[in-house]
Amino acid sequence: ASRLRAIAKLPLDPLDQLLRQYVDANGSVDYQSWYDNSQDRKTLERFLLSLSGIDPQTGSRDDQLAFWINAYNALTIHGILREYPTDSIRNHTARLFGYNIWDDLKIHVGGRLYSLNDIEHKVLRPMGDPRIHFAIVCASKGCPRLLDTVYRGESTNAQLEVNARHFFTQSSNLRIDAEQIYLSSILNWF
């Protein structure tokens, strides 16, 4: 059996270059251009495959947060590119029968299979940092923005803070008028 490597050994530059190329400052992904570039789709797939050789229990808590946020976001993007062209991720979320992107799209990490729901609810949420909900992308206009760079252990806290602050500067997420406070549904869900 091969030995698992530490999180610190995961090469993040290929994913970082893809995010810088295809994600704008508002967090919008240029799926059309990414889809049209088969080499860049393969680079994303290679990144996801490389996660199988990583021991996710290594490194600091921030290293682990960064690792799982990057894994989640890369897997979500891969799922959309696999279904592209699509006008909504909701088209791939069967409730009773059929393919559900949140449960059926999986990656190997350290000898285990993880779905998007597994990563979000069984790994990230138990880590106790509610700001993850401003970092993991759900490929929908109403979601928090995707950063145009990877999360890195040493800067995870600052990146989470920046994205949380950005989230609340958007009037669609927080708006106060004379009589009411309007909050994003994300705050209600989590």
Side-chain angles (χ1 to χ4, degrees):
S2 64
R3 298 184 63 202
L4 296 177
R5 296 172 297 145
I7 287 173
K9 299 288 186 189
L10 177 67
L12 292 173
D13 288 344
L15 179 61
D16 196 56
Q17 290 169 0
L18 292 170
L19 293 174
R20 290 179 189 281
Q21 183 172 345
Y22 294 110
V23 180
D24 69 20
N26 297 318
S28 295
V29 179
D30 182 354
Y31 286 109
Q32 179 68 58
S33 295
W34 201 333
Y35 180 81
D36 289 343
N37 189 322
S38 63
Q39 278 307 112
D40 286 348
R41 285 195 324 254
K42 287 178 184 157
T43 298
L44 178 61
E45 290 169 12
R46 279 193 302 275
F47 174 79
L48 289 168
L49 285 172
S50 72
L51 301 179
S52 66
I54 300 297
D55 178 351
Q57 303 297 319
T58 59
S60 69
R61 180 181 172 279
D62 284 349
D63 289 334
Q64 292 175 23
L65 267 174
F67 173 84
W68 287 110
I69 291 168
N70 290 329
Y72 185 97
N73 290 343
L75 185 58
T76 301
I77 292 166
H78 169 69
I80 294 299
L81 290 171
R82 205 175 85 171
E83 302 297 329
Y84 196 83
T86 184
D87 58 359
S88 174
I89 195 167
R90 294 187 186 276
N91 294 342
H92 312 288
T93 57
R95 293 186 188 253
L96 296 176
F97 301 103
Y99 177 76
N100 184 324
I101 196 168
W102 307 112
D103 294 319
D104 298 327
L105 182 63
K106 297 183 180 186
I107 54 171
H108 281 275
V109 175
R112 277 196 57 207
L113 271 177
Y114 292 88
S115 69
L116 290 167
N117 271 333
D118 292 335
I119 295 170
E120 180 178 357
H121 300 292
K122 295 178 181 173
V123 177
L124 284 169
R125 286 182 72 188
M127 292 179 90
D129 192 328
R131 297 175 301 171
I132 61 135
H133 296 290
F134 309 122
I136 55 176
V137 65
C138 68
S140 178
K141 294 251 186 249
C143 290
R145 74 174 174 171
L146 173 65
L147 288 185
D148 61 355
T149 184
V150 295
Y151 282 79
R152 296 184 187 271
E154 65 275 7
S155 56
T156 299
N157 191 54
Q159 290 172 296
L160 288 170
E161 192 67 25
V162 163
N163 239 22
R165 288 181 186 277
H166 177 271
F167 179 82
F168 287 111
T169 64
Q170 307 305 302
S171 63
S172 58
N173 298 325
L174 173 65
R175 195 169 64 253
I176 302 171
D177 68 22
E179 298 177 14
Q180 286 187 314
I181 297 176
Y182 300 89
L183 295 171
S184 166
S185 299
I186 289 173
L187 299 172
N188 197 25
W189 300 331
F190 303 111

